[in-house]
């Protein structure tokens, strides 16, 4: 763990690592036998920047132990074991060189194509040799395949895994597959992909990863909503005026324009990341914390969403986006979108959920804003100062704060906006907040010997319901029926989006700025 002395062992982090704070984190799996983690696409950016660092941090904290875990990289690149280790070494932060070296020695590399059996036969042979060396007394083995690959190769890779690399029938244990988003481009392509993978693996073997579900503040939503009496009577159409779920980046596509142009901001961010957050904000209380009960409620709220109204959509494209030579000159692909979702049920009828995402904007952040209705009988004449808002800041500077109207210090009865603030950097100074990928990978390998914990992964019917909401809009954008509005980089996006938010009843507080607290002034 970051900050530990170099002579501490990786296992020493198990007791100190208390930011994975659910009861399950205190009860590691009782499964025995070796665990083989295979990262396909091992030489790519996702693997070296996210997957391998997440595995390293789990190793560092004692959740993956060297005596029972081995990691295999697979890709087309012509690399040696040491070549892959050198490629990822610079991304393994917060530990001594000794710990990094211990982790890197767990990694072996196999080169091969994604659509022929030769490479996968070699991969299976390499895994089997490791399993044989570890299973002197037990014939139990677990195989986890992480597809850090483009979705276009998922079917062929999964066929190869099914044909050549499954856990041997003579062994107890399991085979599981993690697939990264995007899961298709629309309903038809997503259903086709699901059907192809469904022929090869059971649903409980497939883990569709959306890393937003692993973020600390996203995971906190269920606790906030259903463990606090304060929110239970307020979380409905009688008290809430509108909800905004916002994702902003202060940079553009940065050389990835050709890839991004195939998808756009709605497919890339809104249809998956923000919609997952929406589900947790809007869903009903599940029967229990069992993964299927939670996912049942997410599907129900998605099925209650009304068709998107074009009058409640603003899409934009920042000036300079088409300067990228890989982007077509006539591209209509949105780099910004603001979309209103409406839920047709007793709790939320009439409450607009505004999902916004954009690139090249004026700041970098992701947050949820729950704005409450005006207090009736405004005897203090303070309505113009703004409404109560409950803000959950997902990144950066994780925090939750409630915007309140309070008396301004002094002799006069004057009011101003302030906040009740829970800033994680202040309240949890000695706690390392885990990266989303750490939590999600841990869920696949450690807890339930039969199913794993799929609470934070996307189920097939949930994926279908999500695409049913957005596919008609996406097809209309692709057909040019909605046009992207130009906006200047470094701004809030198209002015039309702010105007639409006002039409939806959102009241912006002018003059109030939330400043993350620090210890400096103390």
């Amino acid at each position: 763990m970051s900050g530990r002395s170099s002579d501490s062992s990786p296992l020493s982090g198990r007791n100190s690592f208390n930011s994975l704070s659910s009861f399950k984190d205190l009860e590691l799996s009782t499964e025995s036998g070796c665990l083989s983690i295979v990262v396909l696409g091992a030489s790519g950016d996702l693997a070296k920047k996210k997957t391998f660092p997440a595995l390293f941090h789990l190793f560092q904290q004692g959740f993956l132990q060297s005596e029972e875990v081995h990691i295999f990289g697979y890709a087309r690149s012509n690399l040696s074991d040491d070549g892959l280790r050198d490629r990822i070494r610079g991304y393994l932060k917060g530990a001594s060189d000794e710990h990094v070296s211990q982790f890197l020695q767990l990694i072996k590399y196999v080169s091969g194509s994604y659509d022929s059996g030769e490479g996968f036969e070699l991969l299976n042979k390499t895994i089997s040799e490791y399993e044989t060396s570890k299973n002197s007394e037990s014939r139990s083995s677990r195989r986890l395949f992480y597809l850090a690959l483009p979705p276009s190769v998922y079917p062929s890779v999964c066929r190869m895994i099914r044909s050549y690399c499954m856990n041997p029938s003579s062994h107890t244990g399991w085979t599981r597959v993690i697939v990264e988003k995007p899961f298709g481009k629309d309903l038809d392509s997503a259903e086709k992909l699901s059907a192809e993978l469904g022929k090869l693996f059971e649903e409980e073997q497939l883990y569709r990863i959306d890393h937003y579900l692993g973020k600390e503040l996203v995971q906190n939503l269920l606790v906030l909503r259903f463990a606090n009496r304060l929110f239970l009577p307020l979380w409905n159409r009688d008290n809430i005026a509108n909800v905004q779920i916002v994702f902003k980046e202060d940079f553009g596509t940065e050389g990835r324009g050709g890839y991004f142009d195939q998808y756009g901001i709605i497919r890339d961010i809104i249809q998956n990341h923000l919609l997952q957050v929406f589900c947790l904000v809007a869903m009903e209380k599940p029967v229990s914390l069992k993964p299927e009960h939670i996912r049942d409620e997410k599907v129900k709220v998605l099925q209650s969403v009304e068709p998107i109204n074009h009058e409640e959509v603003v899409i934009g494209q920042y000036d300079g986006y088409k300067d990228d030579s890989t982007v077509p000159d006539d591209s209509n692909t949105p780099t910004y979108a603001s979309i209103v979702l409406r839920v047709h049920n007793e709790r939320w009828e009439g409450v607009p959920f505004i999902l916004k995402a954009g690139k090249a904007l004026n700041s970098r952040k992701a947050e949820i804003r729950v704005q409450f209705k005006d207090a009736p009988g405004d005897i203090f004449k303070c309505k113009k100062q703004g409404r109560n808002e409950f803000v959950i800041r997902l990144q950066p500077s994780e925090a939750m704060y409630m915007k309140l109207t309070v008396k301004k210090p002094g002799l006069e009865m004057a009011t101003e906006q302030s906040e009740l603030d829970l800033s994680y950097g202040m309240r949890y100074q000695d706690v390392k907040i885990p990266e989303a990928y750490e939590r999600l990978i841990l869920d696949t390998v450690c807890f339930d010997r039969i199913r794993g914990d799929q609470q934070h992964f996307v189920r097939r019917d949930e994926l279908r319901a999500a695409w049913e909401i957005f596919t008609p809009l996406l097809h209309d954008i692709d057909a040019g029926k909605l046009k992207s509005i130009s906006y200047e980089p470094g701004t809030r996006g198209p002015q039309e989006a702010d105007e639409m938010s006002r039409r939806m009843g959102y009241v912006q507080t002018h003059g109030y700025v939330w400043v993350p607290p620090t210890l400096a002034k103390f």
Side-chain angles (χ1 to χ4, degrees):
M1 190 172 180
S2 179
R4 293 206 307 266
S5 62
S6 60
D7 59 350
S8 62
S9 72
L11 291 180
S12 66
R14 183 178 297 172
N15 294 326
S16 62
F17 185 70
N18 56 7
S19 58
L20 290 176
S21 56
S22 75
F23 70 94
K24 293 187 300 186
D25 299 319
L26 303 177
E27 300 177 3
L28 293 183
S29 172
T30 58
E31 293 175 318
S32 60
C34 54
L35 170 63
S36 300
I37 300 175
V38 184
V39 180
L40 296 113
S43 60
D45 276 357
L46 175 63
K48 70 183 181 183
K49 293 179 180 178
K50 295 294 184 181
T51 313
F52 283 115
L55 292 171
F56 171 61
H57 291 144
L58 291 176
F59 167 78
Q60 194 180 355
Q61 296 146 18
F63 290 102
L64 300 179
Q65 301 180 38
S66 57
E67 63 267 22
E68 64 178 28
V69 175
H70 215 72
I71 300 169
F72 301 87
Y74 184 91
R76 291 177 295 208
S77 303
N78 185 20
L79 291 172
S80 63
D81 293 348
D82 287 338
L84 178 61
R85 293 164 184 162
D86 291 342
R87 182 169 292 202
I88 64 177
R89 184 185 297 272
Y91 295 90
L92 308 181
K93 307 292 187 182
S96 66
D97 290 343
E98 180 185 357
H99 285 169
V100 172
S101 296
Q102 289 173 5
F103 173 76
L104 291 175
Q105 289 307 306
L106 301 179
I107 297 175
K108 293 185 68 67
Y109 181 74
V110 177
S111 176
S113 70
Y114 296 126
D115 56 1
S116 68
E118 185 178 355
F120 283 88
E121 284 182 322
L122 178 58
L123 175 62
N124 183 65
K125 179 182 177 183
T126 307
I127 298 172
S128 297
E129 288 172 351
Y130 157 69
E131 292 173 339
T132 300
S133 69
K134 291 293 183 181
N135 287 339
S136 57
E137 298 179 0
S138 168
R139 293 187 63 78
S140 176
S141 58
R142 297 163 284 163
R143 296 186 178 188
L144 176 67
F145 294 87
Y146 192 113
L147 274 58
L149 294 165
S152 58
V153 300
Y154 288 171
S156 64
V157 168
C158 286
R159 281 194 295 271
M160 294 297 106
I161 293 172
R162 183 72 194 182
S163 298
Y164 298 100
C165 296
M166 297 292 287
N167 184 52
S169 57
S170 58
H171 292 188
T172 58
W174 44 253
T175 301
R176 292 172 184 162
V177 179
I178 299 177
V179 294
E180 276 274 359
K181 77 161 187 79
F183 315 115
K185 294 186 68 175
D186 57 14
L187 179 59
D188 288 343
S189 60
E191 283 286 272
K192 181 180 178 182
L193 180 58
S194 292
E196 290 178 314
L197 299 188
K199 293 176 183 176
L200 301 168
F201 299 103
E202 300 296 328
E203 180 66 21
E204 58 265 26
Q205 293 178 291
L206 290 170
Y207 290 72
R208 300 174 187 87
I209 195 170
D210 186 323
H211 75 269
Y212 252 57
L213 287 174
K215 287 186 175 294
E216 184 69 25
L217 271 293
V218 174
Q219 296 209 334
N220 212 340
L221 279 170
L222 289 183
V223 179
L224 285 169
R225 286 197 54 199
F226 302 123
N228 292 286
R229 188 69 177 87
L230 170 68
F231 290 119
L232 291 176
L234 298 179
W235 212 261
N236 55 50
R237 64 191 300 270
D238 296 329
N239 300 286
I240 293 175
N242 54 75
V243 179
Q244 292 198 62
I245 304 173
V246 180
F247 175 92
K248 300 173 74 172
E249 289 181 334
D250 56 3
F251 53 88
T253 53
E254 296 189 332
R256 297 176 63 249
Y259 171 81
F260 181 85
D261 201 70
Q262 301 175 49
Y263 295 96
I265 199 71
I266 298 174
R267 291 181 175 97
D268 193 41
I269 300 296
I270 295 179
Q271 185 273 337
N272 39 72
H273 296 335
L274 299 196
L275 197 65
Q276 288 295 322
V277 177
F278 160 81
C279 287
L280 295 173
V281 171
M283 63 184 261
E284 297 298 319
K285 186 177 181 178
V287 175
S288 75
L289 290 178
K290 291 181 179 179
E292 293 312 305
H293 289 160
I294 293 172
R295 300 202 293 180
D296 286 345
E297 295 303 330
K298 290 166 68 180
V299 171
K300 287 179 186 176
V301 76
L302 290 174
Q303 292 173 337
S304 299
V305 174
E306 296 179 341
I308 296 171
N309 181 353
H310 284 197
E311 298 300 316
E312 297 180 342
V313 176
V314 174
I315 59 173
Q317 188 182 93
Y318 68 84
D319 292 339
Y321 170 70
K322 293 183 221 179
D323 292 346
D324 188 325
S325 60
T326 62
V327 175
D329 292 337
D330 59 350
S331 171
N332 187 46
T333 299
T335 61
Y336 176 96
S338 181
I339 300 171
V340 176
L341 298 186
R342 296 186 178 273
V343 183
H344 182 57
N345 66 17
E346 183 179 4
R347 181 183 295 273
W348 295 116
E349 189 75 42
V351 179
F353 286 79
I354 307 167
L355 276 58
K356 294 194 217 178
K359 289 183 172 292
L361 299 178
N362 59 341
S363 63
R364 174 183 171 266
K365 66 179 179 180
E367 64 185 17
I368 306 161
R369 288 184 169 269
V370 180
Q371 187 170 87
F372 293 88
K373 294 182 176 181
D374 292 323
D378 182 19
I379 62 174
F380 298 104
K381 309 299 181 186
C382 58
K383 183 182 294 187
K384 63 183 178 182
Q385 291 178 346
R387 290 170 164 169
N388 296 150
E389 278 188 286
F390 181 44
V391 183
I392 303 172
R393 191 178 179 96
L394 307 178
Q395 67 178 32
S397 304
E398 292 91 344
M400 294 178 278
Y401 61 94
M402 176 72 81
K403 289 168 56 176
L404 301 174
T405 299
V406 300
K407 180 186 176 298
K408 190 174 183 178
L411 297 176
E412 297 183 39
M413 181 55 76
T415 61
E416 67 177 0
Q417 284 242 314
S418 188
E419 70 279 325
L420 296 176
D421 195 336
L422 168 58
S423 294
Y424 276 52
M426 287 282 288
R427 181 66 177 82
Y428 302 111
Q429 296 174 43
D430 298 325
V431 176
K432 174 188 176 294
I433 296 177
E435 290 291 329
Y437 281 92
E438 296 174 35
R439 157 64 78 181
L440 297 177
I441 292 174
L442 190 62
D443 280 350
T444 65
V445 299
C446 278
F447 296 127
D448 185 305
R449 70 169 56 247
I450 299 173
R451 294 181 65 87
D453 186 346
Q454 292 200 333
Q455 173 184 331
H456 304 120
F457 297 84
V458 181
R459 200 168 67 187
R460 181 174 177 176
D461 57 342
E462 182 183 346
L463 180 62
R464 183 190 310 116
W467 278 119
E468 286 174 345
I469 295 169
F470 284 98
T471 292
L473 172 65
L474 289 167
H475 284 178
D476 287 343
I477 294 173
D478 293 342
K481 294 180 181 179
L482 282 81
K483 296 293 186 181
S484 291
I485 303 166
S486 295
Y487 64 93
E488 287 293 324
T491 64
R492 289 173 51 85
Q495 292 183 355
E496 289 83 349
D498 284 339
E499 293 169 3
M500 185 180 74
S501 293
R502 285 192 288 270
R503 292 202 317 271
M504 296 302 110
Y506 176 70
V507 178
Q508 187 174 0
T509 304
H510 295 285
Y512 169 88
V513 177
W514 177 74
V515 179
T518 68
L519 290 172
K521 57 186 175 184
F522 300 107

